[in-house]
Amino acid sequence: METYDALLASIAPAAGAGRTILDPATGQPVGEAPVHGLDDLESAVAAAVAAQPAWAALGHEARSAALLKAADAVERSAEELARLLSREQGKPLNGPNARFEVGACLAWLRATAGLPLEPETIVDDGETRAELHYRPIGVVGAIGPWNWPMMITVWQLAPALRMGNAIVVKPSEYTPLSVLALAKVINEELPEGLLTVVSGGRDVGARLAEHPAIGKVMFTGSTATGRAIIKSSADTVKRLTLELGGNDAGIVLPDADPKAIAQDIFWGAFINTGQTCAALKRLYVHSDIYDAVCEELTAVAKAMPMGNGLDENNVLGPLQNKAQYDVVANLVEAAKASGARILLGGNPDTGRPGYFYPTTLVADIDNDNPLVAEEQFGPALPIIRYSTIDEAVEKANALDVGLGASVWSRDLAAAREVAARIQAGTVWINRHGAVDPRIPFGGAKQSGYGVEFGVEGLKALGVPQVING
């Protein structure tokens, strides 16, 4: 285990060769990130190609053991990693934030190491025998986002490595330090060349997506960037797993208990200060309990402190960058101008340092308002009134995205019936966004394709091979 300062120093570039990363809560420097270019990417890919065959030859048991050791290494440096994550990304140490994210890295590494993957006998009738196996792809390219930089990187690297692949990671330009530090710790337990982080710009990401030596690309981010990756990968027919933008709907049925569900709805929407692809971003509430839900949710939201992430009392932080702050601010202003009712927030303190936007709840808003129809990706939740279940389902399904959704009710059978009608990759009941390393996760419509997590996610990092005979 290294101290925080030693860990930060270990990933720093040579003097004058880096880029300063600023704390979104204070505007103060966090550290220097290397600026890698296309030559660095070529070196990383060449090292991955060289290292991968020996790694694949070790077999699942040895690779799983290495992942478990990597998890132990991350656990030894957990507090240092969480502190760096809090300073760079902005999320508080406490709540479902920085320490939670580092804990999720441990959980995914260990769960992925333990996933069973045995050959499947497809046919064995005395005349024909066919077995389905999964072989390594080779080298995987991973492009990650700035909202959960460590956790999503582990979602990408853990199954890739477990399946016998090498991996080259391109982190967001907003949060490279977190990913570099995480990889540095994990690499203490891996052979050289298997895992490399290339901290570059868009040119590096574009080249990674088209590189002929990369057999698969994993990407989490915007739908627009996902489309560009699809086009770039086409000439080399790469395998893809894309977890793209979402605008998740939640439907509260008329029998729900407003007080009982308010806190879970709040965290479904405001986890990581709303900066989560599978956060609840549109809440549809039946007219019978609309006012009660608004009242209970407002009471919960008022009690959640927002501020600098290193303050142990805070559970909400700033937006990670100015561009995202502006998106949220503009959408809320448009909602106010349309006549929507602000229950809480909507009044940022522009004299305060950092990209803090207050927790905002917006009621009596039309379904076609931009705050509802566009993914706000921040701490602002529109609450839309509905009269019939058919109306709520129609509105929930109206957009061209479908990552997650949720249904809230005391009647599980009724909730499941509604859930089956929603066009989304995952529909939770009486919770939202609860991902699990054992359960496949992926999007519908333009929220991407392919799944992560569980045995199905592990198979997606391999090439199926049938042995017939």
Side-chain angles (χ1 to χ4, degrees):
M1 183 185 75
E2 296 178 290
T3 65
Y4 173 84
D5 290 339
L7 181 60
L8 196 57
S10 71
I11 59 174
R19 180 171 60 88
T20 303
I21 302 297
L22 302 179
D23 185 332
T26 65
Q28 297 301 307
V30 177
E32 294 291 310
V35 180
H36 293 144
L38 296 179
D39 289 345
D40 299 296
L41 175 63
E42 292 298 333
S43 296
V45 171
V49 169
Q52 187 269 332
W55 175 248
L58 289 177
H60 280 288
E61 185 175 344
R63 295 194 297 266
S64 291
L67 288 184
L68 293 174
K69 288 182 179 179
D72 292 342
V74 172
E75 189 167 32
R76 289 192 296 271
S77 295
E79 188 62 19
E80 291 73 25
L81 290 170
R83 184 180 170 198
L84 175 58
L85 177 62
S86 180
R87 293 193 64 206
E88 182 180 47
Q89 201 281 333
K91 63 185 66 182
L93 290 169
N94 288 326
N97 293 298
R99 289 179 178 131
F100 170 88
E101 180 167 347
V102 175
C105 293
L106 302 175
W108 256 264
L109 283 165
R110 288 169 175 156
T112 304
L115 289 173
L117 189 63
E118 300 296 332
E120 302 171 35
T121 300
I122 307 302
V123 176
D124 188 5
D125 60 7
E127 295 183 3
T128 300
R129 178 178 174 81
E131 288 185 347
L132 177 61
H133 299 253
Y134 287 85
R135 310 301 188 195
I137 294 169
V139 180
V140 173
I143 303 173
W146 49 258
N147 58 334
W148 295 91
M150 290 185 180
M151 182 176 73
I152 290 176
T153 294
V154 167
W155 291 358
Q156 296 167 331
L157 69 84
L161 293 171
R162 164 67 197 281
M163 274 302 302
N165 303 297
I167 185 166
V168 178
V169 176
K170 192 273 180 194
S172 167
E173 294 168 75
Y174 288 114
T175 53
L177 299 177
S178 299
V179 178
L180 286 160
L182 176 70
K184 192 268 179 187
V185 171
I186 289 175
N187 271 329
E188 295 170 8
E189 302 296 342
L190 294 179
E192 187 174 352
L194 276 180
L195 165 61
T196 306
V197 177
V198 183
S199 175
R202 292 184 179 181
D203 58 333
V204 170
R207 177 57 179 161
L208 189 67
E210 68 180 18
H211 199 293
I214 301 288
K216 171 160 185 152
V217 173
M218 304 182 75
F219 171 71
T220 297
S222 72
T223 299
T225 303
R227 292 190 192 105
I229 289 172
I230 293 169
K231 293 175 183 177
S232 297
S233 67
D235 285 346
T236 50
V237 196
K238 296 191 194 312
R239 290 160 175 80
L240 299 174
T241 295
L242 304 174
E243 196 256 88
L244 307 179
N247 195 345
D248 288 14
I251 299 177
V252 181
L253 301 189
D255 73 313
D257 180 344
K259 190 174 185 65
I261 64 176
Q263 182 149 318
D264 287 333
I265 285 178
F266 175 84
W267 282 120
F270 291 94
I271 184 172
N272 194 26
T273 316
Q275 300 166 106
T276 298
C277 293
L280 198 168
K281 300 185 176 79
R282 302 175 284 149
L283 184 65
Y284 296 93
V285 182
H286 193 274
S287 295
D288 289 353
I289 58 171
Y290 185 86
D291 291 336
V293 168
C294 288
E295 181 179 345
E296 295 294 344
L297 194 52
T298 300
V300 169
K302 280 182 177 178
M304 299 295 180
M306 175 183 287
N308 191 309
L310 297 181
D311 183 334
E312 298 278 354
N313 295 311
N314 292 324
V315 293
L316 298 169
L319 277 302
Q320 202 286 323
N321 55 78
K322 179 63 162 56
Q324 194 58 44
Y325 177 96
D326 289 343
V327 168
V328 176
N330 291 337
L331 287 172
V332 173
E333 286 304 308
K336 290 162 71 174
S338 75
R341 179 163 55 104
I342 305 298
L343 300 173
L344 182 69
N347 55 342
D349 180 358
T350 55
R352 177 183 188 178
Y355 303 129
F356 289 96
Y357 195 90
T359 306
T360 300
L361 298 173
V362 182
D364 299 330
I365 185 169
D366 293 334
N367 195 57
D368 58 358
N369 190 285
L371 183 62
V372 180
E374 299 176 20
E375 184 182 22
Q376 69 272 30
F377 215 71
L381 178 66
I383 309 171
I384 305 99
R385 190 189 305 263
Y386 76 89
S387 299
T388 68
I389 301 300
D390 287 347
E391 175 194 355
V393 171
E394 182 181 0
K395 288 179 176 178
N397 289 339
L399 301 182
D400 60 3
V401 290
L403 187 57
S406 55
V407 181
W408 304 78
S409 173
R410 301 187 219 202
D411 185 338
L412 290 180
R416 290 181 182 128
E417 287 182 7
V418 174
R421 299 172 61 190
I422 298 175
Q423 298 165 0
T426 299
V427 183
W428 293 276
I429 295 175
N430 293 329
R431 53 183 177 168
H432 196 107
V435 293
D436 185 308
R438 302 166 298 177
I439 301 173
F441 177 73
K445 298 193 278 190
Q446 292 194 34
S447 287
Y449 46 72
V451 296
E452 300 173 279
F453 317 158
V455 174
E456 294 305 312
L458 187 59
K459 290 176 180 178
L461 271 300
V463 177
Q465 181 190 50
V466 173
I467 297 180
N468 191 333

